[in-house]
């Protein structure tokens, strides 16, 4: 669409052109506000002392126990069962170090 299109009799911008300009401006404003809000959230949380992310299911105090048990050969399923968490959580707690696998 030609954004410089003018009415042949009056020379004013056509109403469709005005509408397009306003729509584009509103879209840009909405994008800017969304970006601003997206960045304000983490900054506010950081100011309150939150570092973001999800809390771990295995408390930090148990991390060494989980890691040691894994390195001694306990399975992830057994560790998860014993600590009342999903099997996915101990995966993050076992690194580093990892036990060596011999093929």
């Amino acid at each position: 669409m030609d954004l410089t299109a003018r009415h042949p009799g009056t020379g004013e911008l056509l109403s469709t052109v005005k509408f397009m300009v306003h729509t584009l401006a509103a879209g840009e404003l909405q994008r800017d506000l969304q970006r601003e809000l997206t960045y304000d959230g983490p900054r506010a949380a950081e100011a309150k002392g939150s570092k973001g992310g999800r809390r771990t299911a295995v408390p930090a105090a148990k991390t060494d126990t989980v890691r040691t048990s894994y390195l001694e050969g306990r399975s992830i399923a057994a560790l998860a069962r014993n600590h009342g968490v999903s099997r996915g959580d101990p995966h993050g707690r076992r690194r580093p170090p990892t036990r060596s696998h011999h093929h």
Side-chain angles (χ1 to χ4, degrees):
M1 168 173 253
D2 181 12
L3 295 180
T4 61
R6 297 187 176 274
H7 189 277
T10 63
E12 289 184 18
L13 285 175
L14 294 177
S15 58
T16 53
V17 172
K18 289 179 184 177
F19 176 75
M20 286 292 294
V21 169
H22 287 294
T23 302
L24 292 171
E28 186 175 350
L29 174 65
Q30 183 178 359
R31 224 178 7 262
D32 289 345
L33 285 172
Q34 184 66 42
R35 186 176 300 123
E36 205 174 295
L37 292 173
T38 298
Y39 290 116
D40 285 349
R43 278 195 224 111
E46 186 178 359
K48 285 190 334 186
S50 299
K51 60 182 178 184
R54 188 175 170 180
R55 288 193 183 110
T56 58
V58 177
K62 289 187 178 181
T63 300
D64 289 336
T65 305
V66 170
R67 184 177 291 124
T68 302
S69 296
Y70 176 76
L71 293 172
E72 289 172 352
R74 297 285 308 274
S75 72
I76 294 292
L79 289 169
R81 222 179 4 261
N82 291 345
H83 294 284
V85 296
S86 72
R87 287 185 300 174
D89 196 69
H91 282 281
R93 294 295 178 171
R94 72 177 182 193
R95 292 183 203 111
T98 56
R99 69 178 171 211
S100 59
H101 295 280
H102 296 91
H103 297 295

